[in-house]
Amino acid sequence: MLAASSSSINSSLPVFSVADLNMRIAGSPTDLVENFSIDVFPGHTLCIVGESGCGKSISALALMGLLSPTEIDIRSGTIRFEGQEYPVSEAQNARHLRGDRLAMIFQEPMTSLNPAYKVGEQIAEAITCHHPFSSDEAKKRAIEMLAKVGIPAPAARFNEYPHQLSGGMRQRVMIAMALVNNPSLLIADEPTTALDVTIQAQIIELIRNLQKEANMGTIMITHDLGVVAKLATDVVVMYAGQIVEKGPVEAIFNDPQHPYTIGLLSSMPKLTGQRERLATIPGTVPTIQSMPSGCRFSSRCPFRAAICKEKPVARSFKNNHSVSCHFAPLDVILELSV
Amino acid sequence: MSDIILKACNLKKYYEVNQGLFSSGDLVKAVDDVSLEVRRGETFAIVGESGCGKSTLGRLLMQLLVPTEGEVEFEGKALSKHSDKDLSTLRKEVQFVFQDPFSSLNPRMTVRKLISEPLEIHRKDLSSKQRDDKVKQLLEQVGLRVEHANRYPHEFSGGQRQRIGIARALASGPKLIIGDEPVSALDVSVQAQVVNLLDDLRDEFELTLIIIAHDLSIIRQMSDRVAVMYLGKIVEMGPVDEVFSNPRHPYTLALLSAVPEPVVGQEKTLISLLGETPSPTASIPGCRFNNRCQFARNICRKTQPEISVAEAHEKHIVACHFWQDVAQSASENTMNTSRTRNEKLEARFKLYQAALKGEKAVPKLLGAIEQEELT
């Protein structure tokens, strides 16, 4: 009983929070990412979804401290992680956390593994970097980890080079490397995008099981709404550097409020049911130079009106569902138009 | 004119790899004994995972690659019997749209030059003025603006570049367009635009399309018939609705179950495949799918299954010894349960589409908000 109640208290506190991240290309007048705030809870998966150029990957890189301060000007933003608080602009100093408490998986496993080292050594290095293990112990743990991510004959695979593995296997190695130190937060940037659909299904299953087991918080960055529906507990929808809608996964998929979210969902072709012409979002994502003032989606929004020249404020509804649109909640309009 | 525009008979493309000076190499059977017929006016899809030979097949179909064995007939004439001159006429009739709009357009050519190049080659009767008019017309037909003609490819987004690629393919006035993953490099919203565009152009120009893709929902959206490939062979072929709702091959069944759908709280039973796609050089006796198949029995490891007809009236064919078992399993699978969609969500999609069509009454009802003209 006691254990159960203490874990419920724990899970009500975010393991990782970002407040008010703003950044721009050094010297540019427009923010690349604006007012980015998220909370990640232990055992939960927060999916950041959006199209290319919406700022989802660059936000993740900023949180990991992997951006060059001479190129990207991080103007504000605070990270709260495991009881520590530090500005995002100093995240690059958190080297002791990266690869240990904070881990990241990238999209392209071939380019993120070092081709000149055996995969097992690369995993062992992640251990010895942070913990005083002997190389034998590290090797033993690396092999255990390889087995845990479902690699057959892990002891033999330890001595193989990345080019000897298939795409799915390489991604499993990446996952092993990220999780070997039991991080409390995992950031995964499009981890299944480069994979075939049957392999993608295996990797999704693997991430889901490992995460459940470790009660780890996860930030998953993806453009694939199907993956989001399968993995997410919470969803953040980004458009052109802004969070347009966020909330629990059921709210986003069953009660989308922002026109962009509705547009995205309705432009997905379906695998079952009636085949009909796809709805689209007209136009293309504005470039950073041509960003509309006010609501950034206004240049493509079918609901656009004069008020959209003003910047919308995020409005919150029940269950932490919040939307940045002048027309939210849409139910008002719906009732009138039916 | 015959109803069949393109026909492939027992098409094979083998590559020899790892060849040494004195040793013969391994044989990669990229396309192995594929026969298919594409009907005039339809959209025919070829689907499969990486390495299944779908792109090789696409290139064989328009003689960009020469088959090791077998024959492709376009409008009743075998391609191998074409002289070089005839082949260039063929290129006028059959065009290709490539996957990556970033590497398939010459960065040093303006859009005008890119689109008029096929006109210069195939429409020598046109004056330069007529050519220019044709370029403008094509730009508008693919949803670009006339002033875009003077720009270079790097000035465009991925979706726009794919439109340029499509305009270029349309320029020579082809009867058949083969698209190799024409939308897979694009974002969801732009992907939907290009899918709709290809659909419209097919009707407008009375085209036949062959779409090669790995995304099953895109294929369902775009095509009439589909062929599923695995390791160089067609394992199942038929009308897209029939194949997707009554899959008869275990591989098709697994593919369909693996696609994550954007619906919350509906867990599909995942038919996991054992392991990964074997290396293309591996020689697998019997059915090539047997080592990953949950239905496999002894016969599958020995005898290659013949193509059999699953649904005669639907022309649904399958290459599996136990397709009846698969049919049974598929019908038990949750996959076929019709999804009751959330009414609230449907209403919201309708609202969005009404607003898209310019039915501006919707936000106006809020009263206080002044309506601005949509441009």
Side-chain angles (χ1 to χ4, degrees):
Chain A
M1 272 308 277
L2 199 67
S5 68
S6 76
S7 83
S8 76
I9 289 169
N10 267 338
S11 68
S12 66
L13 278 176
V15 57
F16 185 84
S17 295
V18 184
D20 204 28
L21 170 65
N22 283 278
M23 58 182 167
R24 54 177 61 168
I25 299 171
S28 148
T30 323
D31 280 338
L32 267 184
V33 173
E34 234 180 34
N35 301 331
F36 180 90
S37 304
I38 53 168
D39 292 313
V40 188
F41 295 92
H44 282 208
T45 302
L46 175 89
C47 278
I48 304 181
V49 61
E51 296 179 282
S52 25
C54 73
K56 53 192 194 301
S57 288
I58 204 166
S59 304
L61 292 175
L63 301 181
M64 289 295 282
L66 296 176
L67 291 176
S68 151
T70 52
E71 281 161 28
I72 301 291
D73 175 15
I74 296 172
R75 304 169 67 227
S76 69
T78 324
I79 294 175
R80 203 171 302 139
F81 178 58
E82 291 193 329
Q84 302 174 55
E85 198 173 313
Y86 54 94
V88 180
S89 52
E90 281 168 28
Q92 53 176 323
N93 301 332
R95 199 169 170 197
H96 59 286
L97 295 176
R98 277 201 297 273
D100 188 24
R101 311 307 311 139
L102 279 173
M104 186 151 178
I105 307 173
F106 298 89
Q107 173 173 355
E108 208 354 283
M110 191 61 216
T111 49
S112 25
L113 288 169
N114 189 332
Y117 288 90
K118 295 171 180 168
V119 292
E121 284 173 1
Q122 297 186 52
I123 299 173
E125 189 188 8
I127 306 170
T128 49
C129 247
H130 293 284
H131 301 284
F133 283 117
S134 71
S135 61
D136 280 352
E137 271 174 296
K139 180 172 178 179
K140 196 170 139 260
R141 289 178 68 111
I143 292 174
E144 277 169 23
M145 203 60 213
L146 282 172
K148 207 165 157 187
V149 296
I151 291 185
R157 292 291 183 178
F158 183 94
N159 289 319
E160 288 191 354
Y161 291 90
H163 76 267
Q164 294 172 290
L165 304 178
S166 68
M169 285 297 168
R170 282 181 211 141
Q171 199 57 289
R172 284 174 196 269
V173 169
M174 283 297 290
I175 294 171
M177 197 186 299
L179 301 187
V180 73
N181 290 323
N182 291 317
S184 50
L185 182 78
L186 171 71
I187 301 181
D189 188 358
E190 305 264 13
T192 61
T193 306
L195 306 175
D196 275 325
V197 58
T198 53
I199 309 297
Q200 164 172 293
Q202 294 173 358
I203 298 289
I204 286 178
E205 227 24 62
L206 175 70
I207 293 179
R208 194 149 69 169
N209 292 339
L210 291 173
Q211 183 200 7
K212 206 180 285 171
E213 196 184 306
N215 201 34
M216 161 182 76
T218 305
I219 299 176
M220 169 83 83
I221 295 163
T222 177
H223 69 280
D224 185 336
L225 289 162
V227 174
V228 177
K230 264 199 122 82
L231 273 172
T233 25
D234 305 285
V235 181
V236 166
V237 184
M238 285 188 82
Y239 180 80
Q242 292 174 329
I243 294 178
V244 294
E245 181 160 6
K246 65 178 168 186
V249 65
E250 297 82 12
I252 301 294
F253 280 85
N254 298 333
D255 184 21
Q257 292 283 349
H258 197 282
Y260 179 63
T261 318
I262 301 172
L264 265 190
L265 283 170
S266 54
S267 52
M268 298 269 304
K270 290 181 277 293
L271 206 54
T272 48
Q274 196 69 34
R275 270 199 279 172
E276 44 202 26
R277 193 178 167 83
L278 291 177
T280 59
I281 302 175
T284 46
V285 183
T287 59
I288 191 79
Q289 293 87 10
S290 64
M291 206 58 86
S293 60
C295 173
R296 288 186 171 184
F297 187 56
S298 62
S299 59
R300 300 176 72 190
C301 181
F303 298 139
R304 170 171 44 140
I307 192 175
C308 301
K309 292 219 172 70
E310 287 161 39
K311 192 168 275 188
V313 277
R315 298 175 203 201
S316 296
F317 313 108
K318 55 178 192 280
N319 301 332
N320 296 321
H321 184 190
S322 82
V323 183
S324 296
C325 175
H326 295 289
F327 297 121
L330 276 172
D331 294 315
V332 181
I333 314 175
L334 263 183
E335 275 168 26
L336 289 167
S337 66
V338 166
Chain B
M1 242 191 291
S2 136
D3 186 37
I4 305 293
I5 187 165
L6 187 91
K7 188 174 168 185
C9 302
N10 307 97
L11 216 51
K12 290 180 185 169
K13 182 70 188 174
Y14 294 170
Y15 294 100
E16 218 168 308
V17 294
N18 304 333
Q19 217 169 351
L21 189 53
F22 301 109
S23 61
S24 62
D26 303 321
L27 213 50
V28 174
K29 298 181 175 178
V31 170
D32 195 13
D33 204 4
V34 164
S35 301
L36 54 86
E37 286 178 348
V38 180
R39 298 174 199 149
R40 195 177 298 277
E42 76 172 347
T43 303
F44 185 83
I46 303 168
V47 64
E49 295 183 289
S50 24
C52 74
K54 55 188 192 300
S55 293
T56 309
L57 177 59
R59 281 163 172 75
L60 287 172
L61 291 181
M62 69 174 292
Q63 206 76 358
L64 285 178
L65 290 173
V66 180
T68 313
E69 242 177 75
E71 190 58 81
V72 180
E73 282 176 24
F74 179 71
E75 301 207 301
K77 192 174 177 197
L79 296 191
S80 63
K81 300 203 173 72
H82 279 57
S83 64
D84 284 357
K85 193 170 159 239
D86 287 351
L87 262 184
S88 85
T89 339
L90 175 83
R91 301 270 181 263
K92 178 171 176 271
E93 317 254 280
V94 186
Q95 283 285 330
F96 213 85
V97 175
F98 295 92
Q99 170 173 6
D100 184 358
F102 293 84
S103 56
S104 55
L105 299 175
N106 187 333
R108 303 183 71 167
M109 285 187 183
T110 60
V111 170
R112 169 176 294 111
K113 179 72 186 150
L114 280 165
I115 299 176
S116 60
E117 198 181 32
L119 291 170
E120 284 164 26
I121 297 167
H122 295 298
R123 298 290 303 276
K124 293 202 171 83
D125 54 314
L126 296 181
S127 69
S128 67
K129 171 80 181 59
Q130 283 171 314
R131 244 190 345 250
D132 227 39
D133 290 343
K134 180 84 181 151
V135 170
K136 283 177 190 159
Q137 188 195 343
L138 282 163
L139 279 173
E140 276 167 2
Q141 275 162 333
V142 298
L144 293 168
R145 290 201 301 274
V146 174
E147 63 264 30
H148 286 151
N150 295 324
R151 299 198 195 158
Y152 288 90
H154 74 265
E155 297 175 70
F156 294 92
S157 67
Q160 287 170 318
R161 279 185 228 207
Q162 202 55 298
R163 287 171 195 267
I164 299 170
I166 293 169
R168 205 170 130 84
L170 285 172
S172 62
K175 291 178 181 156
L176 173 71
I177 290 188
I178 302 177
D180 189 359
E181 302 269 12
V183 298
S184 64
L186 307 175
D187 274 320
V188 183
S189 71
V190 181
Q191 181 172 293
Q193 293 172 6
V194 176
V195 166
N196 287 345
L197 174 72
L198 283 170
D199 212 38
D200 295 342
L201 293 173
R202 182 180 75 151
D203 297 344
E204 197 180 331
F205 292 87
E206 293 171 349
L207 293 170
T208 306
L209 294 178
I210 297 179
I211 301 293
I212 299 162
H214 69 279
D215 185 328
L216 291 154
S217 38
I218 286 286
I219 281 183
R220 182 169 180 274
Q221 179 70 31
M222 293 183 77
S223 49
D224 305 308
R225 288 196 307 134
V226 61
V228 183
M229 282 187 81
Y230 184 76
L231 285 183
K233 280 190 179 297
I234 289 180
V235 295
E236 185 163 9
M237 179 158 62
V240 76
D241 288 325
E242 162 71 15
V243 171
F244 278 31
S245 53
N246 302 307
R248 295 292 187 253
H249 195 280
Y251 180 61
T252 318
L253 186 64
L255 270 186
L256 285 166
S257 84
V259 178
E261 284 188 81
V263 183
V264 174
Q266 272 169 327
E267 287 285 315
K268 288 199 267 194
T269 340
L270 178 67
I271 321 250
S272 336
L273 292 182
L274 315 165
E276 304 192 1
T277 316
S279 142
T281 53
S283 77
I284 300 162
C287 171
R288 289 192 170 192
F289 188 59
N290 77 59
N291 52 358
R292 301 179 72 196
C293 178
Q294 52 169 333
F295 299 91
R297 296 184 217 161
N298 272 337
I299 181 172
C300 303
R301 290 172 202 108
K302 290 184 192 118
T303 325
Q304 197 155 297
E306 293 298 317
I307 294 262
S308 44
V309 177
E311 288 289 336
H313 63 286
E314 296 272 26
K315 297 212 160 128
H316 183 176
I317 58 166
V318 59
C320 176
H321 293 296
F322 298 107
W323 63 266
Q324 272 109 337
D325 295 5
V326 180
Q328 179 76 21
S329 159
S331 65
E332 284 162 12
N333 201 298
T334 46
M335 218 155 56
N336 282 342
T337 55
S338 62
R339 300 241 153 82
T340 47
R341 287 187 70 178
N342 185 327
E343 272 177 37
K344 199 172 178 182
L345 189 63
E346 290 297 334
R348 207 147 288 166
F349 286 165
K350 282 206 185 90
L351 177 79
Y352 180 85
Q353 274 165 351
L356 260 189
K357 286 188 195 119
E359 292 166 24
K360 291 170 216 157
V362 183
K364 224 177 210 169
L365 290 166
L366 279 181
I369 296 154
E370 211 180 300
Q371 185 61 38
E372 189 196 42
E373 266 309 295
L374 282 166
T375 44

